[in-house]
Amino acid sequence: MAKSADDAKDTTEAPADKTPATAKAKAASKSAARSGNPSKRAAAAEAGEASRSRHKVKAQRVGNPSWFVPVMLGLMLIGLVWVVTFYITQEQYPVASWGRWNLGAGFAFILAGFAMTTRWR
């Protein structure tokens, strides 16, 4: 008796790395998916989705949080404004009692912003 095209596919496409029990379970779920019974079809669809969802890999987030770049740029600008204000006001502002330490404070802001650039992705 001649084999149909479907029977020929089933015998030639059997993977070598699958066990017979796994192949039988897979064939049973395929037949349930093709079943005329809606409850069997739904159960087969849920089983297929569950097996696919188990193997999903969650992508790692690459980059910095949304606040990172504004804070980095803000620190650099605050430092720049601090130093420029110190020179323009002839050493009276931002804090008159600090004297030349105002330069240190301004450069500290600038360096903190620059240090953040090394972590920027």
Side-chain angles (χ1 to χ4, degrees):
M1 179 179 221
K3 290 185 179 181
S4 67
D6 291 334
D7 292 337
K9 278 185 186 177
D10 290 342
T11 59
T12 58
E13 290 183 330
D17 61 332
K18 299 287 184 176
T19 63
T22 308
K24 286 181 184 178
K26 191 172 182 181
S29 69
K30 280 186 179 181
S31 66
R34 291 182 281 184
S35 172
N37 187 346
S39 63
K40 284 185 181 178
R41 227 178 307 147
E46 288 175 8
E49 289 174 11
S51 67
R52 276 182 263 150
S53 65
R54 255 190 317 212
H55 299 291
K56 287 185 181 177
V57 177
K58 187 174 181 180
Q60 291 181 345
R61 184 175 175 169
V62 177
N64 297 95
S66 59
W67 56 266
F68 192 84
V69 173
V71 169
M72 176 184 70
L73 294 175
L75 286 171
M76 288 187 208
L77 288 175
I78 288 171
L80 178 66
V81 168
W82 194 292
V83 170
V84 169
T85 302
F86 178 72
Y87 278 122
I88 289 177
T89 61
Q90 298 175 352
E91 303 180 8
Q92 291 184 357
Y93 292 105
V95 181
S97 63
W98 287 5
R100 297 268 179 176
W101 282 103
N102 279 302
L103 289 176
F107 282 111
F109 281 115
I110 293 171
L111 288 175
F114 181 74
M116 287 181 73
T117 62
T118 63
R119 301 288 183 186
W120 183 27
R121 295 180 191 172

